[in-house]
Amino acid sequence: MTLKELFKSNIPRSILIIVLYIVYAFSSSFSQYFLKYAMNGITAGKLNVYIYWQVIQAILEVVTALLLPVATVVFTRQIQDYLHHIREDIMHHYYSEGDNKLSTMQNELTANLKLLTTNYATPLITILSGLLEIAISIGLLISMNWILIVTTAILAVITLSLPKVMEKQTSMAMNEVNQEHGKLLNAVEHWLGGLQELRRYTAYGRLASQLQKASGNYVKANKKSYKFEAISEIINGMGNALSQIGMTVVAGVLFLMHTISFGDFIVASAFAFTIFSAIWDITGAMTQVKSTKKLREQTAALRKSRAGFKKTEAYSVSVSGLKAKYKEGEEISYPDFTIEKGQKVLLVGDSGTGKSTLFKILLNQLKPETGKVTFFDKNGQAIAPGEAKLGYLPQDPIVFPASIKENIVMFNDKLADKVEAITQSVELQPDLAKMPAGVDTQVDLKKQNLSGGQRQKVVLARSEIHNQPFVLMDEVTSAIDQKATEKILDNLLTTDQTILLIAHNFTPELQAKFDKIIELKGKKEEGGEK
């Protein structure tokens, strides 16, 4: 988020905002300035002069009161439209650059942008309007006496230097708030994501302690941030109050020396309040703006995604010398293997032998400790690391709150004419026959109107209709009955896709249908191909 981008997001509206605030500043300043003539009129005993300038003042006050809310509404629209573009860029980044934690994406798309709105965009308009009021007020003070200008300049320099006292602390505190909020979202995702399991084992105490810890740290970070902001405001406020008093004293001395009129003295005092109140607002706003430096840099980095980056479809793979190591120190060694284009391979092994870990390595979600994974395109050319495109069907299928048909074609209407044939090949037709709306049945994630087996069939249909050349399948028929599983596998194994499938409890007859079996074993045993 930058001021330049905010302005360029809608240039005509930005110009309108500036004009509105300029007119607001002029009407506000001149309504105070004309008080000079009203006071001089009343001290001279000219009631008609006093009434005339009071009417002018009242008109300007009404204009000022109307302009401020209008300008604020227009500026708010500008901010929200700009934030919409930032969200689009961040979503493009997450879409293009790979998988990220849901809590991280939530933090970036909501809380962080809210912080930027509150502590960057909104203070900018405070700075703009404050600078305009100061400039006009100083211009009007020049017409009274040069000593007032010199006094204003000296006191202004002192007041503007005060925010630097707490600048570093407020910036660090704001960054800590951002980090702790991310940790809180992470804790919510990890612990509330398994809420049913926690209920099943009456583990409320553990849930409460973990969330209280994460929430407590977030609260502490916020308290620390508010403390530094409060200290900064106290310092700025004291500077503002002393400057106003100093300006009023100087104006009073000039009046007693008959250098300025009584009206000038009143207006100078009023302008002292306006100028130093504006400086106070500006210094506070500048503190907020500077506190978002790291957050703005972080958001800017997210927006610089590799636009147009496309992965290359993989058709085969070769693995050699592969080892994976966990933080706890456990190491998994994999046998060397090659999966040729179009082969159907079954991946088996006891729990803990590293089947899911191997999938993570192949999907480039986990870096191996040692070894090499090489993918090849349809012409047998090696694909650069991290640029291979693979299909992946997780054990827990991902469906969206749309129709079953849309979930299968993934919102590509050009594939609609293939839906019927594909639903037959994955044994989904018997399930659809029981639904009044058939493939147009809306998936309800909250009510879970599809069973686990039905969701697996939908995701299998999705993979088949998009004809992904190389697909990793993790227990994709675990919730489907044995008879339907056999039919689905028979159809899958006749396709030209390259398939690597994790499965448990397959009968010898089902295993025999695959071109090869890769068996993973424990550390004391050696796995390999069959």
Side-chain angles (χ1 to χ4, degrees):
M1 178 177 278
T2 64
L3 179 59
K4 182 179 179 181
E5 282 189 348
L6 179 60
F7 180 84
K8 290 177 68 177
S9 62
N10 189 321
I11 294 176
R13 187 192 287 158
S14 297
I15 294 171
L16 175 61
I17 290 168
I18 293 172
V19 169
L20 286 172
Y21 276 103
I22 288 174
V23 176
Y24 163 76
F26 267 99
S27 62
S28 176
S29 299
F30 274 93
S31 69
Q32 289 181 323
Y33 182 72
F34 290 149
L35 180 62
K36 163 186 173 178
Y37 300 109
M39 290 296 100
N40 288 339
I42 199 70
T43 54
K46 297 178 180 179
L47 183 60
N48 59 331
V49 173
Y50 171 75
I51 294 173
Y52 173 79
W53 288 109
Q54 284 288 285
V55 170
I56 298 295
Q57 268 192 288
I59 293 171
L60 288 173
E61 289 289 347
V62 170
V63 171
T64 302
L66 292 174
L67 280 173
L68 184 58
V70 172
T72 302
V73 168
V74 177
F75 183 66
T76 301
R77 288 182 179 178
Q78 183 83 341
I79 292 173
Q80 293 306 315
D81 287 347
Y82 179 44
L83 289 177
H84 177 67
H85 293 308
I86 292 177
R87 284 193 185 94
E88 285 183 338
D89 290 343
I90 293 174
M91 285 189 291
H92 177 78
H93 165 83
Y94 286 129
Y95 181 81
S96 303
E97 297 295 319
D99 297 328
N100 290 268
K101 287 185 177 180
L102 180 60
S103 58
T104 301
M105 291 187 279
Q106 287 176 328
N107 200 32
E108 295 292 350
L109 290 168
T110 55
N112 286 2
L113 292 186
K114 185 178 180 180
L115 278 174
L116 287 176
T117 302
T118 306
N119 290 0
Y120 182 77
T122 302
L124 285 178
I125 207 63
T126 301
I127 294 171
L128 171 63
S129 59
L131 289 174
L132 288 171
E133 287 185 352
I134 291 170
I136 297 168
S137 297
I138 289 175
L140 293 173
L141 280 174
I142 293 173
S143 66
M144 297 184 206
N145 190 282
W146 65 271
I147 295 176
L148 295 174
I149 297 300
V150 173
T151 304
T152 302
I154 294 171
L155 293 174
V157 170
I158 295 171
T159 307
L160 286 170
S161 65
L162 293 177
K164 294 187 179 294
V165 176
M166 297 299 297
E167 183 180 317
K168 184 177 180 181
Q169 290 88 337
T170 53
S171 179
M172 290 174 63
M174 178 62 67
N175 188 51
E176 187 177 343
V177 168
N178 175 44
Q179 291 177 349
E180 292 301 332
H181 185 262
K183 290 178 183 178
L184 175 59
L185 286 176
N186 205 32
V188 169
E189 179 185 354
H190 289 168
W191 289 92
L192 291 184
L195 193 57
Q196 290 184 351
E197 197 71 2
L198 290 168
R199 286 171 180 159
R200 189 174 292 117
Y201 293 96
T202 322
Y204 173 76
R206 184 64 171 175
L207 169 67
S209 66
Q210 290 298 318
L211 291 186
Q212 283 174 3
K213 180 181 177 181
S215 178
N217 290 337
Y218 179 53
V219 169
K220 287 179 183 177
N222 268 306
K223 287 180 178 178
K224 185 178 179 181
S225 179
Y226 291 144
K227 182 184 77 173
F228 287 135
E229 286 181 11
I231 294 172
S232 180
E233 281 200 22
I234 290 170
I235 294 171
N236 296 339
M238 289 177 64
N240 172 57
L242 292 173
S243 296
Q244 287 187 43
I245 293 169
M247 185 72 171
T248 303
V249 168
V250 171
V253 171
L254 291 174
F255 169 67
L256 293 174
M257 293 174 64
H258 305 290
T259 305
I260 60 174
S261 67
F262 179 71
D264 288 336
F265 165 68
I266 295 297
V267 171
S269 299
F271 278 161
F273 176 80
T274 298
I275 291 170
F276 292 105
S277 292
I279 290 175
W280 187 16
D281 291 339
I282 289 171
T283 52
M286 287 172 63
T287 301
Q288 287 183 298
V289 168
K290 289 178 180 179
S291 72
T292 63
K293 183 180 178 182
K294 288 186 178 180
L295 189 57
R296 283 182 283 126
E297 289 173 350
Q298 179 181 323
T299 304
L302 283 176
R303 297 178 67 193
K304 293 179 181 177
S305 59
R306 292 175 291 177
F309 173 77
K310 290 184 179 180
K311 293 188 175 183
T312 304
E313 296 275 13
Y315 283 74
S316 59
V317 67
S318 175
V319 173
S320 61
L322 194 64
K323 289 184 179 182
K325 189 173 184 180
Y326 292 102
K327 292 180 180 179
E328 292 77 12
E330 184 183 354
E331 190 176 88
I332 299 175
S333 297
Y334 293 96
D336 295 349
F337 63 85
T338 298
I339 300 176
E340 302 291 347
K341 177 182 176 182
Q343 280 191 320
K344 312 299 184 288
V345 180
L346 184 64
L347 181 63
V348 298
D350 294 334
S351 178
T353 53
K355 299 184 296 297
S356 296
T357 300
L358 177 60
F359 270 24
K360 288 180 180 179
I361 292 172
L362 295 177
L363 292 167
N364 201 39
Q365 295 174 354
L366 182 68
K367 297 296 180 184
E369 185 73 12
T370 60
K372 187 176 181 181
V373 176
T374 307
F375 289 98
F376 301 91
D377 64 16
K378 61 182 177 181
N379 299 317
Q381 298 296 314
I383 302 171
E387 294 187 8
K389 183 178 181 181
L390 300 175
Y392 173 56
L393 277 64
Q395 184 175 359
D396 187 13
I398 297 172
V399 292
F400 301 94
S403 69
I404 291 175
K405 179 180 177 181
E406 288 174 316
N407 269 279
I408 292 172
V409 301
M410 283 306 288
F411 318 106
N412 184 351
D413 293 335
K414 294 179 181 179
L415 300 174
D417 58 344
K418 299 180 180 180
V419 170
E420 185 175 351
I422 291 295
T423 53
Q424 288 178 348
S425 71
V426 298
E427 294 297 307
L428 184 58
Q429 278 293 343
D431 299 288
L432 295 175
K434 300 173 186 177
M435 304 175 188
V439 291
D440 294 317
T441 300
Q442 294 292 311
V443 176
D444 191 326
L445 299 180
K446 187 177 289 187
K447 294 182 179 179
Q448 295 186 346
N449 59 334
L450 296 186
S451 68
Q454 288 169 338
R455 291 199 302 273
Q456 286 186 332
K457 291 176 184 179
V458 168
V459 173
L460 280 164
R462 179 190 298 163
S463 175
E464 291 303 294
I465 204 169
H466 285 87
N467 194 29
Q468 296 170 302
F470 194 155
V471 187
L472 307 179
M473 299 182 177
D474 189 356
E475 298 280 1
V476 290
T477 60
S478 59
I480 302 174
D481 64 80
Q482 184 71 22
K483 185 177 180 181
T485 294
E486 290 182 10
K487 291 181 180 180
I488 291 170
L489 282 176
D490 284 339
N491 290 325
L492 277 177
L493 297 176
T494 59
T495 67
D496 57 0
Q497 289 177 303
T498 306
I499 295 175
L500 178 59
L501 184 145
I502 295 175
H504 287 103
N505 303 320
F506 269 15
T507 63
E509 291 76 19
L510 278 179
Q511 292 185 13
K513 294 176 182 287
F514 288 82
D515 295 317
K516 70 168 71 170
I517 298 174
I518 298 174
E519 185 176 4
L520 303 183
K521 296 187 177 181
K523 290 186 284 186
K524 294 182 179 180
E525 304 175 272
E526 290 188 3
E529 297 183 15
K530 292 183 180 180

